């Protein structure tokens, strides 16, 4: 569970690191890919930063590179699976799982 908590914290930080340059600086997906790729060469080297950079190079059906809808669907799917597994664990092991089953949703 500690590992999952750290990963969710990392994903929340990545979401904020995406939101600010996209909203404030109006960076394009290609520029965001370059930023995340550069970050992945330094102290922020991680699998999550690497796949985030790769996501920005994916083109949508229109060829515009907007993958926002796909990301929302992916996060909803992952959250559903996480909730389903937590519920399944609670049903199997009862109240002793209440302090270890958590749901950390992104805030943006």
């Amino acid at each position: 569970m500690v590992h999952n908590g750290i990963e969710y914290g990392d994903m929340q930080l990545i979401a904020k690191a995406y939101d600010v340059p996209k909203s404030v600086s109006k960076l394009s997906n290609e520029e965001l890919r370059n930023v995340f790729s550069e970050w992945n060469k330094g102290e922020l080297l991680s699998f999550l930063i690497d796949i985030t950079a790769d996501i920005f190079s994916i083109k949508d059906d229109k060829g515009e590179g907007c993958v926002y809808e796909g990301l929302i669907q992916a996060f909803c799917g992952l959250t559903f699976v996480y909730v389903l597994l937590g519920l399944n664990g609670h049903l199997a092991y009862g109240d002793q799982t209440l302090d270890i089953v958590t749901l950390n949703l992104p805030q943006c």
Side-chain angles (χ1 to χ4, degrees), residues 51-71:
I51 61 173
T52 302
D54 290 344
I55 287 171
F56 293 120
S57 64
I58 298 172
K59 303 292 183 191
D60 64 0
D61 294 340
K62 299 176 185 173
E64 298 172 359
C66 182
V67 295
Y68 185 73
E69 292 294 323
L71 287 174

Side-chain angles (χ1 to χ4, degrees), residues 55 67-81:
I55 287 171
V67 295
Y68 185 73
E69 292 294 323
L71 287 174
I72 294 297
Q73 291 173 0
F75 280 118
C76 288
L78 288 171
T79 301
F80 175 74
V81 169

Side-chain angles (χ1 to χ4, degrees), residues 10 20 40 44 46 55 59 63 71-74 77 84 93 108:
D10 285 348
V20 172
N40 200 43
L44 296 178
S46 79
I55 287 171
K59 303 292 183 191
L71 287 174
I72 294 297
Q73 291 173 0
L84 189 63
Y93 297 103
C108 67

Side-chain angles (χ1 to χ4, degrees), residues 1 4 8 74-92 97-98 100-106:
M1 289 313 249
N4 289 347
Y8 271 97
F75 280 118
C76 288
L78 288 171
T79 301
F80 175 74
V81 169
Y82 190 76
V83 168
L84 189 63
L85 290 174
L87 179 62
N88 201 11
H90 179 68
L91 292 174
T97 62
L98 288 178
I100 61 171
V101 177
T102 61
L103 181 60
N104 300 308
L105 296 174

Side-chain angles (χ1 to χ4, degrees), residues 3-28:
H3 173 77
N4 289 347
I6 292 170
E7 263 189 355
Y8 271 97
D10 285 348
M11 290 190 303
Q12 194 166 354
L13 179 63
I14 289 170
K16 292 290 185 184
Y18 159 79
D19 186 48
V20 172
K22 186 71 172 180
S23 301
V24 177
S25 300
K26 307 292 186 203
L27 295 182
S28 68

